[in-house]
């Protein structure tokens, strides 16, 4: 029997992410699309507290609409804990307390961060000492974005987004996030992209898309140059998020007017991420957007992935 390294309770913090670049290819038979993406973890976190228990139980705080977070086995953190128990033969349970700051269904991987944090927290609490590559495998089974929430930093994601290679990023990038009260469904946004492409004949007529992250994106990150990065940020899902939520166009225009270098829909949306030149300009953009009645947050990246907080 292994001995729990952290008796009682473990606190793990995991970051939300922005897709600085998101190229979407064809839909495979398993329903997932081939991706070429660059993730950056940003300083907006999910805090997960794992406490000894005989049962598997869950509590959630930090969300306005409690019904927006599933409290049963559909909850990704709960699934992560049960998957780890099954994989390691651990026979007890855990109480997971999720303190959420990443918007629910916001395109920033909040649920994936919960799952990554739950894996790390339960592994420490139970003393199961699962090696990193095995934790990565479990993460990938839970969802395409979960491995990145484990690793954090800046990384290129291929496959379903779960095959990661670290990308060099110098310095820090300042982002302003505009969040929405009502989330968007990720599967619905992917399905809308497929429909849009087949209606416009986009993929049928064109030669197969080359699914690679463009070199200028990687160069801009390596140079730590927000101007160069702003010029090549891109998200294939933006067209479908805008079809689903046309008002996001106004948000993007407002942020650019306030002085952001560039603004894109984050992942499947509806969060909009604005890249700013400096921390000071981000503060200015944030306050202009708040004055216009928007929910705007100033964050920075890259930050580390899921970590135990002492
Ligand atoms: O992996 P995750 O559960 O986060 O994915 C949610 C949904 O997003 C999937 O069920 C699928 O509809 C869509 N998706 C996709 N291709 C990807 C990642 C996600 O179609 N590479």
């Amino acid at each position: 029997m292994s001995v729990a390294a952290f008796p009682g309770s473990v606190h793990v913090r995991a970051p939300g992410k922005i897709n600085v670049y998101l190229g979407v290819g064809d839909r495979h038979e398993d329903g997932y699309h081939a991706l070429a993406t660059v993730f950056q973890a940003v300083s907006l976190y999910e805090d997960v507290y794992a406490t000894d228990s005989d049962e598997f139980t869950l509590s959630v705080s930090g969300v306005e609409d409690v019904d927006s977070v599933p409290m049963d086995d559909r909850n990704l953190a709960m699934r992560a804990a049960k998957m780890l128990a099954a994989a390691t033969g651990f026979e007890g349970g855990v109480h997971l307390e999720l303190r959420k700051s990443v918007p629910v269904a916001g395109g920033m991987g909040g649920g994936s961060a919960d799952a990554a944090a739950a894996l790390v927290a339960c592994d420490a609490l139970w003393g199961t000492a699962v090696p990193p590559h095995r934790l990565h495998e479990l993460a990938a089974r839970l969802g395409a974005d979960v491995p990145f929430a484990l690793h954090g930093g800046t990384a290129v994601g291929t496959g379903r987004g779960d095959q990661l290679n670290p990308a060099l990023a110098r310095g820090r990038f300042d982002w302003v996030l505009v969040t929405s009260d009502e989330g968007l469904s990720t599967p619905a946004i992917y399905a809308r992209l497929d429909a849009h492409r087949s209606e416009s004949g986009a993929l049928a007529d064109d030669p197969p898309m080359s699914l690679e992250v463009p070199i200028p994106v990687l160069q801009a990150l390596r140079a730590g140059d927000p101007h160069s990065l702003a010029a090549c940020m891109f998200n294939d899902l933006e067209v479908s998020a805008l079809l689903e939520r046309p008002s996001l166009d106004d948000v993007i225009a407002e942020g650019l007017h306030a002085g952001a270098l560039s603004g894109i829909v984050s992942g499947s949306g509806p969060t909009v991420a604005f890249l700013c030149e400096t921390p000071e300009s981000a503060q200015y953009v944030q306050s202009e957007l708040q004055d216009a009645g928007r929910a705007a947050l100033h964050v920075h990246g890259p930050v580390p992935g899921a970590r135990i907080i002492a």
Side-chain angles (χ1 to χ4, degrees):
M1 202 184 88
S2 51
V3 177
F6 295 85
S9 188
V10 177
H11 170 200
V12 174
R13 174 169 281 182
K17 56 81 185 167
I18 293 167
N19 296 85
V20 172
Y21 180 90
L22 177 53
V24 180
D26 287 332
R27 183 176 179 278
H28 294 174
E29 272 181 10
D30 62 4
Y32 278 86
H33 293 72
L35 300 185
T37 189
V38 179
F39 298 103
Q40 183 159 89
V42 296
S43 57
L44 187 63
Y45 301 99
E46 300 285 86
D47 285 295
V48 173
Y49 296 80
T51 308
D52 274 333
S53 172
D54 294 335
E55 315 281 324
F56 285 86
T57 52
L58 185 67
S59 60
V60 178
S61 60
V63 283
E64 301 231 327
D65 176 9
V66 282
D67 294 337
S68 62
V69 180
M71 297 298 290
D72 52 19
D73 279 355
R74 288 170 303 154
N75 185 287
L76 218 48
M78 184 63 104
R79 279 173 43 201
K82 290 188 174 175
M83 187 182 279
L84 184 72
T88 59
F90 180 75
E91 287 180 353
V94 65
H95 175 72
L96 293 175
E97 181 189 345
L98 313 185
R99 295 191 193 167
K100 298 186 66 67
S101 300
V102 179
V104 176
M108 290 193 62
S112 300
D114 294 343
L119 283 177
V120 172
C122 292
D123 185 46
L125 181 72
W126 298 338
T128 38
V130 174
H133 74 274
R134 184 83 183 99
L135 224 46
H136 182 114
E137 279 168 24
L138 294 175
R141 275 166 53 198
L142 287 159
D145 292 343
V146 183
F148 178 71
L150 271 184
H151 290 268
T154 306
V156 173
T158 51
R160 305 181 339 177
D162 55 338
Q163 291 166 26
L164 297 178
N165 277 301
L168 289 176
R170 182 189 306 220
R172 83 175 223 170
F173 291 88
D174 283 87
W175 301 92
V176 173
L177 306 171
V178 173
T179 61
S180 300
D181 286 343
E182 213 179 320
L184 287 174
S185 148
T186 302
I189 294 299
Y190 274 98
R192 188 132 200 179
L193 179 67
D194 291 337
H196 173 72
R197 282 175 168 173
S198 72
E199 276 160 27
S200 62
L203 283 186
D205 295 344
D206 295 343
M209 276 191 1
S210 126
L211 254 195
E212 279 183 17
V213 173
I215 302 287
V217 176
L218 302 174
Q219 282 171 336
L221 289 163
R222 205 157 48 218
D225 178 0
H227 286 273
S228 308
L229 185 60
C232 54
M233 276 159 47
F234 175 76
N235 179 2
D236 257 331
L237 292 178
E238 184 162 294
V239 62
S240 40
L242 290 174
L243 285 168
E244 195 77 20
R245 188 74 61 81
S247 58
L248 293 179
D249 245 343
D250 299 336
V251 177
I252 294 175
E254 283 171 30
L256 296 179
H257 184 71
L261 299 176
S262 181
I264 52 168
V265 169
S266 174
S268 52
T271 305
V272 177
F274 292 101
L275 181 58
C276 298
E277 189 174 19
T278 59
E280 294 73 27
S281 65
Q283 268 162 27
Y284 179 77
V285 169
Q286 179 193 20
S287 68
E288 288 289 293
L289 287 164
Q290 284 173 337
D291 288 350
R294 302 291 182 189
L297 304 165
H298 173 197
V299 299
H300 63 90
V303 298
R307 290 286 180 282
I308 296 172
I309 307 291

